[in-house]
Amino acid sequence: MEKHYWLHRASYEGGLVILEKEKKLTIGYSDAASNDEMNTALASKNYDSFCLAYTNVYNGNIERSKNNLWRFVVEMRKDDIVVVPCPWGFYLPL
């Protein structure tokens, strides 16, 4: 299977600290993670249901970033490479 490269900005509170200390990427969608409608849509990889659930969870406020969550959960694969920009350069969590 072909590897893909992803750019992931971890600029929200604590994102880079968690990456550096725990070697975990955080994606910053905690409201979506606790929503059953959202979890069902993502698990079934149903984009239309996902869009509806996302709009319901965020009241349309961050509509622009919904595709980031979709790609992270549905399109990324285990062996893909994630590049994270950091103040000192780039971080490649391996």
Side-chain angles (χ1 to χ4, degrees):
M1 181 179 281
E2 181 181 338
K3 282 187 183 185
H4 291 97
Y5 291 83
W6 301 89
L7 179 64
H8 177 67
R9 287 180 172 81
S11 59
Y12 41 85
E13 185 179 336
L16 290 174
V17 173
I18 292 169
L19 177 60
E20 190 173 24
K21 288 184 178 178
E22 300 179 35
K23 306 298 184 230
K24 294 179 182 176
L25 281 174
T26 59
I27 60 172
Y29 291 92
S30 60
D31 294 333
S34 60
N35 181 280
D36 291 336
E37 181 185 9
M38 177 68 74
N39 288 322
T40 300
L42 288 168
S44 65
K45 298 181 180 181
N46 183 317
Y47 187 73
D48 291 334
S49 295
F50 163 74
C51 288
L52 180 61
Y54 187 93
T55 299
N56 290 340
V57 169
Y58 293 106
N59 299 316
N61 290 333
I62 55 173
E63 196 66 22
R64 218 172 46 124
S65 65
K66 76 177 171 196
N67 288 324
N68 296 337
L69 176 59
W70 176 262
R71 287 184 191 105
F72 192 89
V73 175
V74 177
E75 295 178 13
M76 288 180 101
R77 299 291 173 247
K78 180 181 174 217
D79 292 327
D80 286 353
I81 304 293
V82 179
V83 178
V84 182
C86 298
W88 59 90
F90 291 93
Y91 189 89
L92 295 169
L94 303 171

